[in-house]
């Protein structure tokens, strides 16, 4: 595995890679969910590039940019056997003085995560567009865990005619159902137990949908009530939405994205599932 810390180094190494090139952008503090994306990239491409960049522009002023978990040594050991190039830019390399161009996706960024985290998707869309231009992959791999992010990135690639394929892959979970996330490390043991409430609420929604429930409001109310039974949890939103437009549904007459954001103490967790 080679490492590049500057755009120039990344471009030079990219020139030596056999194609097709698969790319996995991350913020590091890797877990098996990230590695599942790298494994798929490895299986489908001749070369694999992974980036680790905690992107300051996608964090709000009161969010956890400063404290976001970082462990580069451990991350490098986890990637060593499967990655050809690891791209590790720092913030001034990605945002030099005078940086002033932003990618904004209208519409689907107004809702859900976009509503709770103003400016978040502008930061995500901008950094991903930059990374795609720097790495020039044939395929890029993202988790369904961040379903709205995946939808936003697909829209950027389509609207801006970027010549690559965006591939979304399933959420990896802990044995008790909690979606793997770098932020799970913030949870103390009691909060870690409480955090399973997101998965339990999504499972309840799936069960209810399987039994024929078509009323999205009743489903949202059921999920909300279940999460509210957990004293450690505070709901930000629960949603039953169209998976493409992310608009809330009234009647579930098509596959629906059930998603939620829940605070467990000072940690904000998100999770989702598609109700077929
Ligand atoms: P992050 O480092 O949190 O920015 O995540 C990097 C990529 O890994 C994103 O495409 C995420 O959607 C994906 N990812 C995060 N958690 C999981 C998970 N539990 N299973 C699968 N992919 C994930």
């Amino acid at each position: 595995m080679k490492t590049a810390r500057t755009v120039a180094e990344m471009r030079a190494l990219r020139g030596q890679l056999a194609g097709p090139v698969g790319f996995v952008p991350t913020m590091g503090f890797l877990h098996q969910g990230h590695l599942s994306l790298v494994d798929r990239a490895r299986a489908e491409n001749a070369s694999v590039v992974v980036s680790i960049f905690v992107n300051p522009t996608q964090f709000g002023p009161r969010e956890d940019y400063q404290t976001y978990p970082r462990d580069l040594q451990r991350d490098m050991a986890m990637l060593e056997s499967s990655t050809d190039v690891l791209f590790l830019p720092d913030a001034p390399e990605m945002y030099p003085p005078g940086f002033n161009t932003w990618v904004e996706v209208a519409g689907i960024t107004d809702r859900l995560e976009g509503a709770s985290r103003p400016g978040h998707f502008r930061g995500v869309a901008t950094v991903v567009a930059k990374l795609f231009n720097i790495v020039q992959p044939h395929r890029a791999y993202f988790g369904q865990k961040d379903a709205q992010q995946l939808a936003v990135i697909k829209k950027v690639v389509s609207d801006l005619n970027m010549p690559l394929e965006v591939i979304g892959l399933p959420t990896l979970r802990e044995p008790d159902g909690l979606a793997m996330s770098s932020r799970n490390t913030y949870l103390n043991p009691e909060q870690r137990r409480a955090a399973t409430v997101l998965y339990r609420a999504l499972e309840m929604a799936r069960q209810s949908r399987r039994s024929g429930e078509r009323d999205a409001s009743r489903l949202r109310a059921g999920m909300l009530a279940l999460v509210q039974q957990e004293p450690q949890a505070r709901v930000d939103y629960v949603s039953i939405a169209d998976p493409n437009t992310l608009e809330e549904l009234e009647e579930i007459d098509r596959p629906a994205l059930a998603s939620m954001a829940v605070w467990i103490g000072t940690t904000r967790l998100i999770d989702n599932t598609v109700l077929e």
Side-chain angles (χ1 to χ4, degrees):
M1 181 172 76
K2 293 181 173 156
T3 59
R5 291 187 179 266
T6 65
V7 174
E9 285 167 11
M10 182 63 233
R11 284 199 197 286
L13 291 173
R14 172 66 180 84
Q16 298 164 18
L17 292 178
V21 172
F23 177 43
V24 182
T26 81
M27 300 205 299
F29 209 73
L30 302 178
H31 50 66
Q32 289 302 319
H34 296 111
L35 294 189
S36 73
L37 307 184
V38 177
D39 287 349
R40 180 66 78 90
R42 181 83 269 165
E44 293 181 351
N45 301 278
S47 304
V48 174
V49 177
V50 175
S51 63
I52 296 179
F53 179 58
V54 184
N55 174 34
T57 65
Q58 71 188 68
F59 289 79
R62 276 173 294 281
E63 294 182 1
D64 55 345
Y65 174 66
Q66 296 297 339
T67 54
Y68 195 83
R70 292 162 169 91
D71 189 343
L72 184 57
Q73 291 312 312
R74 180 165 146 275
D75 288 350
M76 287 177 74
M78 288 168 80
L79 295 172
E80 182 66 54
S81 63
S82 50
T83 302
D84 297 292
V85 178
L86 176 60
F87 182 40
L88 296 169
D90 62 13
E93 181 70 10
M94 292 297 275
Y95 301 106
F99 179 90
N100 215 2
T101 302
W102 300 95
V103 179
E104 290 213 47
V105 179
I108 56 170
T109 61
D110 295 344
R111 297 175 264 278
L112 306 175
E113 289 300 289
S116 293
R117 305 182 66 188
H120 170 66
F121 286 120
R122 177 172 109 137
V124 168
T126 301
V127 80
V128 167
K130 285 171 64 70
L131 289 168
F132 287 172
N133 282 333
I134 296 163
V135 174
Q136 304 200 5
H138 297 86
R139 301 191 181 93
Y141 297 82
F142 293 86
Q144 294 276 5
K145 157 96 184 344
D146 300 283
Q148 191 175 12
Q149 168 175 282
L150 177 60
V152 168
I153 290 163
K154 284 185 168 165
K155 194 85 177 86
V156 170
V157 165
S158 150
D159 285 356
L160 298 182
N161 310 96
M162 294 181 168
L164 73 145
E165 187 186 351
V166 174
I167 294 155
L169 295 177
T171 302
L172 259 73
R173 298 178 178 283
E174 302 291 351
D176 63 4
L178 177 65
M180 290 182 184
S181 164
S182 308
R183 289 189 169 100
N184 293 348
T185 191
Y186 295 143
L187 304 170
N188 69 31
E190 194 186 340
Q191 293 169 335
R192 172 63 187 80
R193 275 189 294 278
T196 59
V197 75
L198 285 88
Y199 180 69
R200 287 185 273 126
L202 293 173
E203 278 303 293
M204 189 275 287
R206 285 163 70 90
Q207 193 58 50
S208 177
R209 178 72 193 98
R210 264 201 299 273
S211 328
E213 180 62 78
R214 289 172 67 86
D215 182 335
S217 300
R218 270 213 296 269
L219 222 48
R220 281 187 288 266
M223 289 163 70
L224 188 64
L226 193 149
V227 178
Q228 283 171 340
Q229 283 168 20
E230 173 51 65
Q232 306 269 338
R234 187 165 57 79
V235 173
D236 181 353
Y237 64 79
V238 300
S239 161
I240 306 286
D242 180 288
N244 300 311
T245 65
L246 301 179
E247 279 174 50
E248 292 301 315
L249 294 177
E250 284 177 32
E251 195 188 2
I252 309 177
D253 51 5
R254 66 198 99 160
L257 181 72
S259 69
M260 60 206 314
V262 174
W263 289 93
I264 306 285
T266 55
T267 304
R268 186 173 178 280
L269 300 177
I270 60 171
D271 201 351
N272 70 80
T273 191
V274 174
L275 309 175
E276 298 293 349

